[in-house]
PDB file of all heavy atoms in Angstrom:
ATOM      1  N   PRO A 438      16.331 -91.299 -58.552  1.00 85.00           N
ATOM      2  CA  PRO A 438      17.136 -92.458 -58.977  1.00 85.00           C
ATOM      3  C   PRO A 438      18.627 -92.317 -58.685  1.00 85.00           C
ATOM      4  O   PRO A 438      19.301 -93.305 -58.431  1.00 85.00           O
ATOM      5  CB  PRO A 438      16.886 -92.529 -60.491  1.00 85.00           C
ATOM      6  CG  PRO A 438      15.604 -91.821 -60.713  1.00 85.00           C
ATOM      7  CD  PRO A 438      15.504 -90.772 -59.645  1.00 85.00           C
ATOM      8  N   ASP A 439      19.133 -91.094 -58.670  1.00 84.00           N
ATOM      9  CA  ASP A 439      20.560 -90.887 -58.427  1.00 84.00           C
ATOM     10  C   ASP A 439      20.901 -90.756 -56.938  1.00 84.00           C
ATOM     11  O   ASP A 439      22.062 -90.577 -56.584  1.00 84.00           O
ATOM     12  CB  ASP A 439      21.046 -89.644 -59.177  1.00 84.00           C
ATOM     13  CG  ASP A 439      20.379 -88.363 -58.680  1.00 84.00           C
ATOM     14  OD1 ASP A 439      19.249 -88.422 -58.150  1.00 84.00           O
ATOM     15  OD2 ASP A 439      20.987 -87.288 -58.846  1.00 84.00           O
ATOM     16  N   GLU A 440      19.914 -90.858 -56.070  1.00 84.00           N
ATOM     17  CA  GLU A 440      20.146 -90.713 -54.636  1.00 84.00           C
ATOM     18  C   GLU A 440      20.606 -92.021 -54.015  1.00 84.00           C
ATOM     19  O   GLU A 440      20.031 -93.072 -54.270  1.00 84.00           O
ATOM     20  CB  GLU A 440      18.865 -90.253 -53.931  1.00 84.00           C
ATOM     21  CG  GLU A 440      18.932 -88.827 -53.527  1.00 84.00           C
ATOM     22  CD  GLU A 440      17.666 -88.360 -52.839  1.00 84.00           C
ATOM     23  OE1 GLU A 440      16.571 -88.623 -53.353  1.00 84.00           O
ATOM     24  OE2 GLU A 440      17.802 -87.721 -51.797  1.00 84.00           O
ATOM     25  N   ASN A 441      21.617 -91.923 -53.178  1.00 83.00           N
ATOM     26  CA  ASN A 441      22.120 -93.086 -52.447  1.00 83.00           C
ATOM     27  C   ASN A 441      22.074 -92.783 -50.963  1.00 83.00           C
ATOM     28  O   ASN A 441      22.131 -91.639 -50.558  1.00 83.00           O
ATOM     29  CB  ASN A 441      23.558 -93.406 -52.865  1.00 83.00           C
ATOM     30  CG  ASN A 441      23.624 -93.866 -54.300  1.00 83.00           C
ATOM     31  OD1 ASN A 441      22.851 -94.705 -54.721  1.00 83.00           O
ATOM     32  ND2 ASN A 441      24.543 -93.297 -55.059  1.00 83.00           N
ATOM     33  N   GLY A 442      22.003 -93.820 -50.181  1.00 88.00           N
ATOM     34  CA  GLY A 442      22.036 -93.649 -48.736  1.00 88.00           C
ATOM     35  C   GLY A 442      20.657 -93.489 -48.131  1.00 88.00           C
ATOM     36  O   GLY A 442      19.634 -93.486 -48.823  1.00 88.00           O
ATOM     37  N   LEU A 443      20.665 -93.379 -46.830  1.00 89.00           N
ATOM     38  CA  LEU A 443      19.421 -93.271 -46.068  1.00 89.00           C
ATOM     39  C   LEU A 443      19.055 -91.806 -45.901  1.00 89.00           C
ATOM     40  O   LEU A 443      19.905 -90.975 -45.577  1.00 89.00           O
ATOM     41  CB  LEU A 443      19.585 -93.957 -44.722  1.00 89.00           C
ATOM     42  CG  LEU A 443      19.901 -95.448 -44.811  1.00 89.00           C
ATOM     43  CD1 LEU A 443      20.181 -96.022 -43.431  1.00 89.00           C
ATOM     44  CD2 LEU A 443      18.770 -96.196 -45.487  1.00 89.00           C
ATOM     45  N   VAL A 444      17.787 -91.502 -46.108  1.00 91.00           N
ATOM     46  CA  VAL A 444      17.295 -90.129 -46.083  1.00 91.00           C
ATOM     47  C   VAL A 444      16.235 -90.016 -44.995  1.00 91.00           C
ATOM     48  O   VAL A 444      15.349 -90.864 -44.891  1.00 91.00           O
ATOM     49  CB  VAL A 444      16.697 -89.749 -47.462  1.00 91.00           C
ATOM     50  CG1 VAL A 444      16.122 -88.349 -47.441  1.00 91.00           C
ATOM     51  CG2 VAL A 444      17.751 -89.888 -48.550  1.00 91.00           C
ATOM     52  N   THR A 445      16.338 -88.978 -44.191  1.00 91.00           N
ATOM     53  CA  THR A 445      15.379 -88.751 -43.109  1.00 91.00           C
ATOM     54  C   THR A 445      14.281 -87.790 -43.570  1.00 91.00           C
ATOM     55  O   THR A 445      14.411 -87.120 -44.600  1.00 91.00           O
ATOM     56  CB  THR A 445      16.065 -88.137 -41.878  1.00 91.00           C
ATOM     57  OG1 THR A 445      16.564 -86.839 -42.230  1.00 91.00           O
ATOM     58  CG2 THR A 445      17.187 -89.020 -41.356  1.00 91.00           C
ATOM     59  N   LEU A 446      13.231 -87.703 -42.788  1.00 92.00           N
ATOM     60  CA  LEU A 446      12.138 -86.790 -43.089  1.00 92.00           C
ATOM     61  C   LEU A 446      12.625 -85.343 -43.078  1.00 92.00           C
ATOM     62  O   LEU A 446      12.182 -84.530 -43.895  1.00 92.00           O
ATOM     63  CB  LEU A 446      10.981 -86.984 -42.103  1.00 92.00           C
ATOM     64  CG  LEU A 446       9.697 -86.225 -42.412  1.00 92.00           C
ATOM     65  CD1 LEU A 446       9.168 -86.568 -43.805  1.00 92.00           C
ATOM     66  CD2 LEU A 446       8.641 -86.527 -41.357  1.00 92.00           C
ATOM     67  N   ALA A 447      13.542 -85.013 -42.197  1.00 92.00           N
ATOM     68  CA  ALA A 447      14.082 -83.650 -42.154  1.00 92.00           C
ATOM     69  C   ALA A 447      14.761 -83.295 -43.476  1.00 92.00           C
ATOM     70  O   ALA A 447      14.748 -82.133 -43.891  1.00 92.00           O
ATOM     71  CB  ALA A 447      15.066 -83.502 -41.002  1.00 92.00           C
TER      72      ALA A 447
END
Side-chain angles (χ1 to χ4, degrees):
D439 64 334
E440 254 180 312
N441 293 313
L443 299 174
V444 177
T445 64
L446 188 57

